[in-house]
Amino acid sequence: MKASYLFIIFLASLVVGCSSAPEVKTEKQTVNLLSVNLNAEQIKNSEIKEGLPTKELIGLTITANGTIEVPPQNKTVISAQFGGFIKTLNVLDGMTVRKGQTLFTIEHPELIQLQQDYLEVIGNMEYLTAELDRQKSLVQQEAGSLKAMQLAKSQLAMAQAKKTGLKAKLEMAGVSLKQLNAGNLQRAISVVAPFNGVVTKVNVNVGAYAEPTEHLLEIIDLKHAHAEVIAFEKDVKHLKIGQSVQLSFSNDNEVINAKIFLIGKEIGEDRTVKVHCHLDTENSNIAPGSYFKASIYTGAVERFCIPADAVVEMYGKNVVFFSKQGSKGMTSYAPEEVNVLATENGKTAIEFKNKGRSYNENLVINGAYDIMSAILIKTEEE
């Protein structure tokens, strides 16, 4: 009871002892830069103490943002090689497909013509082969001319080249040569999935005409999905290949583990570097483009540290307090914004937002909460 009474008297005395410094108009959402003046008795009652930040080894955790990405080599755009009308469509956006599964069928008179030309060439080659054999026999019997044999040989070679070209075109179009060699012309050609994956884009409708240059479908292989972390330039020096990364997604409470696989060498205009991470286990529920927050534990690093209680939060900003001697025996305390790098065993590693600040200056290491309370009371009253 006595302690509570003394604390109330102390807070009242802080308000009375506050400086009458000119008001700095700031938004409530930002740190109020007003300082507070305390006398020796108030400082003693609050047990305010000052000291220098000390360099200590502390486990450094780097936080960053990123998205789930799939390498370009594991994305495939499906097009109609020779164009045509879409006869059937067997997939939807988001559907899982297996290698060799029919995605859609397409038909076009040109495909029929290609098959017809191929069969005609095969039939003509039988005749040209027989003709070449006949001319060779005549030459051996000295009953034929060498010129006629060379002509037959040339015609057979041309037919063979045409067959090879038509075969390549038909294979590109997805025509079954086995069925075609059996004499079965295929009116509709099936376009199949090149690998196991997920359909991410469907830009085609049944009955529509598809140009050869159109991107009709896109398939991605989720097995090769990776986390692309956007790290700040200042943190890159602490990153190493193989370090553990924890990914937290906004739409799920689950934490997914990953490891750094590749650290980019190019620094972007926003002073960030891309860090590629491989997931420890495959997760088919993660969609490419998913946003996450990453925590990278870099191990013990030597940093400037102060007691954890010396850092307080004011208006959403982490601050510490510096003192300055005032008039009439008063001491002025003002906040200074810092980045909290890590907290471990009651110690907090800090980095000043203001690069002009020196770590060789004393700051408040005990009593920071009381100073903040006095500033807040003063701010409310003004």
Side-chain angles (χ1 to χ4, degrees):
M1 185 71 179
K2 182 178 180 181
S4 300
Y5 178 73
L6 291 175
F7 182 70
I8 293 172
I9 294 177
F10 167 67
L11 286 179
S13 66
L14 288 181
V15 175
V16 174
C18 289
S19 70
S20 57
E23 181 180 1
V24 178
K25 295 182 180 179
T26 59
E27 296 288 337
K28 290 294 183 182
Q29 290 78 13
T30 61
V31 175
N32 193 315
L33 299 180
L34 288 176
S35 61
V36 64
N37 291 338
L38 304 179
N39 57 37
E41 184 179 357
Q42 292 169 333
I43 294 172
K44 181 180 178 181
N45 290 338
S46 294
E47 299 182 354
I48 296 174
K49 296 179 182 178
E50 298 184 25
L52 291 173
T54 58
K55 271 196 170 183
E56 298 183 31
L57 287 175
I58 189 169
L60 180 61
T61 299
I62 295 173
T63 58
N65 299 322
T67 54
I68 296 295
E69 300 292 343
V70 175
Q73 61 268 30
N74 296 109
K75 294 181 180 179
T76 295
V77 173
I78 307 297
S79 301
Q81 296 291 344
F82 293 93
F85 294 94
I86 305 300
K87 184 177 181 181
T88 62
L89 179 63
N90 303 327
V91 295
L92 297 172
D93 193 353
M95 183 178 292
T96 301
V97 294
R98 307 292 297 177
K99 182 178 180 179
Q101 178 180 335
T102 298
L103 304 173
F104 59 87
T105 58
I106 189 169
E107 58 182 10
H108 194 281
E110 183 181 348
L111 295 174
I112 303 295
Q113 186 63 50
L114 281 175
Q115 296 176 74
Q116 181 180 337
D117 292 344
Y118 178 78
L119 293 177
E120 288 178 356
V121 167
I122 291 178
N124 191 37
M125 284 182 63
E126 294 179 2
Y127 165 76
L128 293 176
T129 301
E131 177 63 17
L132 178 61
D133 292 339
R134 190 177 71 85
Q135 291 297 333
K136 286 180 178 179
S137 178
L138 290 174
V139 170
Q140 291 174 356
Q141 299 173 10
E142 296 183 355
S145 68
L146 185 62
K147 181 178 180 181
M149 185 188 74
Q150 290 176 338
L151 178 61
K153 186 177 181 180
S154 174
Q155 289 175 339
L156 178 61
M158 292 172 60
Q160 180 64 49
K162 187 174 182 180
K163 175 189 173 184
T164 302
L166 289 170
K167 181 181 177 182
K169 288 183 178 181
L170 291 170
E171 287 176 342
M172 288 177 61
V175 174
S176 172
L177 292 178
K178 183 177 180 180
Q179 291 187 35
L180 187 57
N181 288 329
N184 299 321
L185 273 71
Q186 300 154 64
R187 179 175 176 178
I189 307 302
S190 297
V191 178
V192 301
F195 52 74
N196 299 340
V198 175
V199 178
T200 55
K201 294 179 182 177
V202 178
N203 302 319
V204 62
N205 295 309
V206 174
Y209 182 82
E211 295 284 355
T213 55
E214 286 187 64
H215 294 175
L216 306 181
L217 300 176
E218 182 180 86
I219 301 177
I220 61 173
D221 185 358
L222 290 180
K223 289 184 179 180
H224 297 279
H226 68 269
E228 189 170 280
V229 178
I230 307 300
F232 287 106
E233 178 186 7
K234 65 181 180 64
D235 295 326
V236 174
K237 60 184 177 182
H238 301 300
L239 301 180
K240 296 179 181 178
I241 293 174
Q243 286 175 336
S244 296
V245 183
Q246 287 190 329
L247 311 178
S248 301
F249 294 84
S250 57
N251 58 348
D252 197 345
N253 294 325
E254 181 184 6
V255 174
I256 295 177
N257 296 317
K259 285 185 175 59
I260 294 179
F261 170 73
L262 180 66
I263 301 173
K265 303 300 181 184
E266 182 180 359
I267 299 176
E269 294 181 358
D270 55 354
R271 314 312 299 172
T272 60
V273 174
K274 293 182 179 180
V275 180
H276 301 273
C277 306
H278 281 178
L279 307 182
D280 287 355
T281 56
E282 295 177 12
N283 193 321
S284 58
N285 295 324
I286 300 178
S290 297
Y291 174 87
F292 62 77
K293 290 186 177 180
S295 298
I296 307 171
Y297 182 73
T298 64
V301 178
E302 192 174 53
R303 286 286 190 176
F304 284 103
C305 299
I306 58 176
D309 293 339
V311 182
V312 294
E313 185 177 336
M314 291 180 64
Y315 302 118
K317 306 290 184 180
N318 292 312
V319 299
V320 296
F321 293 99
F322 282 91
S323 66
K324 183 179 180 181
Q325 290 300 317
S327 58
K328 299 179 181 180
M330 305 292 282
T331 302
S332 176
Y333 294 93
E336 182 73 42
E337 188 178 352
V338 296
N339 289 322
V340 173
L341 304 177
T343 299
E344 188 176 75
N345 299 326
K347 295 284 186 178
T348 294
I350 62 168
E351 180 183 65
F352 292 121
K353 286 272 193 177
N354 179 5
K355 302 302 180 182
R357 270 292 183 185
S358 171
Y359 293 95
N360 294 321
E361 297 180 61
N362 281 328
L363 54 81
V364 174
I365 58 174
N366 189 70
Y369 182 79
D370 290 336
I371 296 174
M372 179 187 70
S373 298
I375 292 178
L376 293 176
I377 292 173
K378 176 183 176 181
T379 303
E380 291 296 328
E381 290 192 348
E382 294 183 354

